[in-house]
């Protein structure tokens, strides 16, 4: 069962996938109904999930499920990964590359390869207050309250 993204409860579980490149406006228009259809049909052991999906900042695909209603099973999570892989193939991009970190630079999302992180911190290009898109957060409430968040308030704090 589809739930509008902005109506999810704070404890809803989320999965964030970061695109390897910005999605064009045309791609976003095409993808949005695919997301809604997936969320509508997404199920766990034959029982429909209270799910939602959206694109944020033209770069992030977010899938969500109200686990208080029905928990996502291993099979349903596998189905979501297959769906994301299909989008990767269709739009010639990657949503699974976790070696790129995303930061907000003004209005633009900038990717930094993980091997460059230490040098960018040392050079002062990335600071504790630089806004970071932490794709490891797992609930909707945290996404709403602290995303992006200062890098120093994330797992990146060890670099400062």
């Amino acid at each position: 069962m589809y739930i509008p993204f902005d109506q999810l409860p704070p404890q809803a579980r989320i999965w964030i996938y970061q695109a390897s490149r910005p999605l064009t406006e045309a791609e976003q228009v095409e993808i949005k109904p695919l997301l809604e259809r997936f969320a509508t049909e997404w199920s766990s052991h034959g029982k429909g999930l209270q799910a939602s999906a959206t694109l944020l900042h033209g770069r992030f695909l977010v899938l969500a499920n109200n686990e208080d209603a029905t928990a996502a099973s291993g099979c349903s999570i596998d189905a979501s990964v297959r769906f994301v892989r299909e989008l990767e193939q269709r739009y010639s991009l990657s949503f699974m590359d976790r070696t790129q970190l995303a930061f907000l630079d003004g209005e633009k999302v900038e990717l930094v390869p993980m091997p460059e992180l230490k040098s960018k911190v040392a050079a002062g290009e990335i600071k504790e207050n630089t806004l970071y898109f932490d794709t490891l957060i797992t609930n909707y409430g945290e996404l709403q309250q602290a995303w992006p968040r200062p890098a120093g308030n994330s797992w990146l704090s060890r670099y400062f």
Side-chain angles (χ1 to χ4, degrees), residues 44-69:
S44 177
H45 300 293
K47 186 173 182 181
L49 300 176
Q50 286 187 5
S52 193
T54 194
L55 295 171
L56 298 175
H57 300 277
R59 194 75 174 237
F60 303 95
L61 166 62
V62 184
L63 301 179
N65 178 47
N66 178 5
E67 300 261 310
D68 287 348

Side-chain angles (χ1 to χ4, degrees), residues 19 21-35 55 58-59 87-93 95:
R21 63 168 173 77
L23 296 164
T24 67
E25 289 294 325
E27 288 171 331
Q28 291 180 59
V29 168
E30 272 184 44
I31 291 172
K32 286 179 182 180
L34 300 175
L35 296 177
L55 295 171
R59 194 75 174 237
L87 291 177
E88 287 181 319
Q89 290 295 314
R90 185 171 181 172
Y91 294 98
S92 300
L93 55 78
F95 281 110

Side-chain angles (χ1 to χ4, degrees), residues 99 101-103 112-127 130 132 151 154-160:
T99 65
L101 304 174
F103 296 89
V112 173
M114 283 192 76
E116 294 178 20
L117 181 63
K118 284 184 183 179
S119 64
K120 293 214 177 256
V121 169
E125 294 174 40
I126 297 174
K127 300 177 173 92
T130 302
Y132 168 60
S154 74
W155 68 271
L156 296 175
S157 63
R158 65 182 176 218
Y159 292 99
F160 302 103

Side-chain angles (χ1 to χ4, degrees), residues 135-148:
T135 58
L136 300 178
I137 64 171
T138 59
N139 70 65
Y140 178 72
E142 195 172 3
L143 181 80
Q144 291 301 106
Q145 293 175 4
W147 201 77

Side-chain angles (χ1 to χ4, degrees), residues 101-116:
L101 304 174
F103 296 89
L104 187 60
D105 184 11
E107 299 283 319
K108 189 175 178 188
V109 176
E110 293 288 337
L111 296 186
V112 173
M114 283 192 76
E116 294 178 20

